[in-house]
Amino acid sequence: MQRRGIIGQAGPLLLARGAATVLGFLLPLILARLLPQAQFGTYKQVWLVASTGYWMLQMGLTASLYYFIPRQDGRGRAWYTQALCGVSLFGAIGALGVYLARFAIARQFNNPELADFGLQLAVITFTMTATAPLEPELLASGQTKLSALLSFSSDAVRVVASVVPLLAGWGLQGFFWAYVLHGALRLSACLWLLWRQGGPELDRKLFLEQLAYALPFGAAILLDTPQKTFHQWAVGSSVDAAAFAIYAQGCFQLPVVSLLYQPISDVLQCRLAAPGGREHGAHLFHDANLRLAAVLFPFTALMLASAGLFVPALFTHRYDGSVPIFRIAVLVTPFAALPLEGVLRATGQTRYVFRIFFWKLVATVPAVLLGIKLGGMVGAIAGHTVADVSIRCMMLARVRRELRCSWGEVLPWAQLGELAVGAVVACAPVVLIARAYAGGPRPLLALCAAASCYAAVYLGALALKPGAGTPFAKVKRVLLGVA
């Protein structure tokens, strides 16, 4: 077993994505100020359609690279070629479907302007899907630094290319064409990687084996993606573009979840799939869970307590209506500390993933529709949250069985409890500041003050626990400790 912890191996990815996140985080802040609320809602609707297609059209082929390439069987080029060809084909089919359905999509969102971006939307959907295997192939083959470099470069180019057309006065048309250019650059990088490996390699027997693994998981994603986005589609069909902008901003979450979760989950899957990895499965799962919880627990508590400052600080007081939606949406964040999908994929449980995602969709649709009927947009996000959390608890039960653990052993309960108590206690000064400055003209200054107080109290709460070391040392052990 490797001695480095999950964080140690995922370090380059975290650094690269952290740097890219600084740029990507600025994009919605800029757009919320540069675009009228209705146009911002149109942008969010276009992105919702493209990202929904991106997740659904990969059919599990991208995720299969994390399963096959770490086996080091000398067929990495074939696995990558087959994944690249497969997602390109599915992406092309999906893009054609999106273009042909552009008027129906516009009617779904009560927004005729959407149809004007049909061509860009189709091309963006294709390039996003066709280039999905780029970074995963490098990570699965052990080229973590190169994967991190490409990930950062891609996000940096996307953000810069997105903002320039707006500053130049080219409007949403120029903005979306910049996304098309970004996709073309990523497609070139995929072909370069294939050429660098010696050209394409196809093997019918290997491809059938890859499909046998990927398609059940891909079918699960066909269910999981609508489940994740159904609440947005449902709200979008019942309100205008300006109101949808309010809802979309309420569902906004800082990229801290994707920044941490995906690299750690991907590395965890590679470690479990490597020879001998299953023998240390519980230890690796604890390692990943604790590193995620050390950030996500206090982050969630801070967001809940400071939501009234956070939303207007980022998006101006025009989006104050997003605050109650945001508070409910952030409740799912602590459960992202459970890298469940990575364990299930590494143990070959793709058929179970399909079944559980089916039941998640079955639970989500009536919960969201009932929520809209009872509570409007707030009810929609509440129904989505309840369904999502319930299914993740069921998935944890399956992971416990796969890791052959008891309920007392499946998670590091004592350490998680310590983090949770500290996170909740530290909310007290934040609540006082948020109430004192509610509706004030400078919410960003108040948010900075609240965050500073939160950090001080949180570290102080950790220091009160008996044991050696400063609070800073305790947090460092949780985040960077050796597995």
Side-chain angles (χ1 to χ4, degrees):
M1 176 182 168
Q2 298 178 5
R3 297 187 62 184
R4 284 193 303 165
I6 295 292
I7 282 287
Q9 192 170 351
L13 283 177
L14 294 175
L15 291 175
R17 295 189 184 185
T21 296
V22 174
L23 296 174
F25 176 71
L26 297 176
L27 184 57
L29 277 67
I30 295 172
L31 295 181
R33 288 163 171 80
L34 292 181
L35 295 174
Q37 200 168 71
Q39 287 192 13
F40 185 79
T42 298
Y43 153 72
K44 297 297 289 187
Q45 290 166 348
V46 169
W47 186 248
L48 173 61
V49 175
S51 59
T52 299
Y54 163 76
W55 288 112
M56 295 178 68
L57 294 169
Q58 294 177 55
M59 293 303 296
L61 287 168
T62 299
S64 72
L65 298 178
Y66 294 119
Y67 181 79
F68 289 104
I69 292 180
R71 300 192 303 183
Q72 301 177 358
D73 56 3
R75 307 309 299 270
R77 180 156 56 102
W79 302 125
Y80 173 61
T81 302
Q82 292 159 180
L84 189 63
C85 291
V87 296
S88 296
L89 175 61
F90 291 131
I93 295 173
L96 178 62
V98 165
Y99 182 74
L100 294 177
R102 62 191 185 279
F103 295 109
I105 294 173
R107 287 193 297 270
Q108 164 68 24
F109 285 108
N110 302 310
N111 185 4
E113 186 181 1
L114 272 181
D116 297 336
F117 306 108
L119 179 58
Q120 298 101 309
L121 177 56
V123 177
I124 292 169
T125 301
F126 168 73
T127 55
M128 286 178 63
T129 306
T131 62
L134 179 58
E135 292 87 358
E137 193 281 336
L138 293 170
L139 176 59
S141 60
Q143 302 179 73
T144 306
K145 292 183 179 179
L146 181 56
S147 176
L149 177 61
L150 283 177
S151 178
F152 167 75
S153 301
S154 175
D155 285 345
V157 170
R158 179 179 64 86
V159 171
V160 174
S162 300
V163 173
V164 168
L166 294 179
L167 296 179
W170 297 340
L172 284 181
Q173 287 285 351
F175 176 85
F176 290 125
W177 280 118
Y179 267 60
V180 170
L181 176 61
H182 170 259
L185 292 175
R186 281 186 56 83
L187 193 58
S188 300
C190 286
L191 297 176
W192 164 80
L193 178 58
L194 189 61
W195 179 265
R196 175 174 173 260
Q197 294 179 341
E201 177 185 351
L202 295 171
D203 186 302
R204 181 175 178 275
K205 182 179 179 181
L206 293 181
F207 189 43
L208 292 176
E209 182 183 352
Q210 191 170 14
L211 287 176
Y213 172 87
L215 290 182
F217 181 71
I221 297 302
L222 287 177
L223 299 175
D224 186 51
T225 302
Q227 182 274 329
K228 288 180 177 178
T229 60
F230 177 77
H231 63 108
Q232 297 185 60
W233 287 87
V235 170
S237 67
S238 61
V239 300
D240 59 21
F244 184 79
I246 294 290
Y247 186 76
Q249 294 302 69
C251 297
F252 170 85
Q253 293 186 6
L254 282 168
V256 64
V257 175
S258 59
L259 171 66
L260 292 174
Y261 181 86
Q262 202 58 53
I264 292 177
S265 179
D266 292 345
V267 171
L268 172 63
Q269 182 179 348
C270 292
R271 292 278 293 274
L272 287 172
R278 291 287 295 275
E279 299 176 7
H280 307 280
H283 174 73
L284 291 171
F285 185 62
H286 284 193
D287 186 22
N289 169 240
L290 199 55
R291 308 321 181 211
L292 288 167
V295 176
L296 298 183
F297 280 16
F299 169 78
T300 302
L302 175 61
M303 289 297 98
L304 286 171
S306 66
L309 301 174
F310 177 81
V311 172
L314 267 63
F315 307 117
T316 74
H317 283 295
R318 289 191 299 167
Y319 291 91
D320 281 349
S322 302
V323 171
I325 300 169
F326 176 80
R327 281 201 172 102
I328 298 175
V330 82
L331 290 175
V332 302
T333 302
F335 293 89
L338 300 171
L340 305 171
E341 291 87 349
V343 175
L344 294 171
R345 293 201 305 265
T347 55
Q349 297 299 313
T350 53
R351 294 185 179 180
Y352 169 78
V353 173
F354 170 78
R355 293 195 302 271
I356 198 67
F357 283 2
F358 169 78
W359 289 113
K360 185 192 290 189
L361 179 60
V362 168
T364 297
V365 171
V368 170
L369 294 178
L370 180 62
I372 291 177
K373 183 176 180 179
L374 297 178
M377 294 192 296
V378 173
I381 190 62
H384 170 80
T385 300
V386 169
D388 190 86
V389 170
S390 300
I391 296 299
R392 290 195 70 81
C393 291
M394 295 175 62
M395 292 173 68
L396 178 61
R398 181 58 178 246
V399 166
R400 180 188 68 83
R401 289 171 53 190
E402 292 299 319
L403 297 179
R404 300 181 179 89
C405 296
S406 67
W407 278 108
E409 298 169 337
V410 69
L411 292 174
W413 297 105
Q415 296 94 321
L416 292 176
E418 179 183 343
L419 291 172
V421 170
V424 173
V425 169
C427 288
V430 179
V431 172
L432 294 176
I433 294 174
R435 289 182 176 178
Y437 287 89
R442 296 178 180 177
L444 180 59
L445 293 178
L447 178 63
C448 292
S452 299
C453 292
Y454 183 91
V457 176
Y458 178 66
L459 294 175
L462 292 183
L464 292 176
K465 181 182 181 296
T470 66
F472 298 98
K474 291 180 180 180
V475 173
K476 182 178 179 181
R477 284 199 302 273
V478 171
L479 290 173
L480 304 177
V482 177

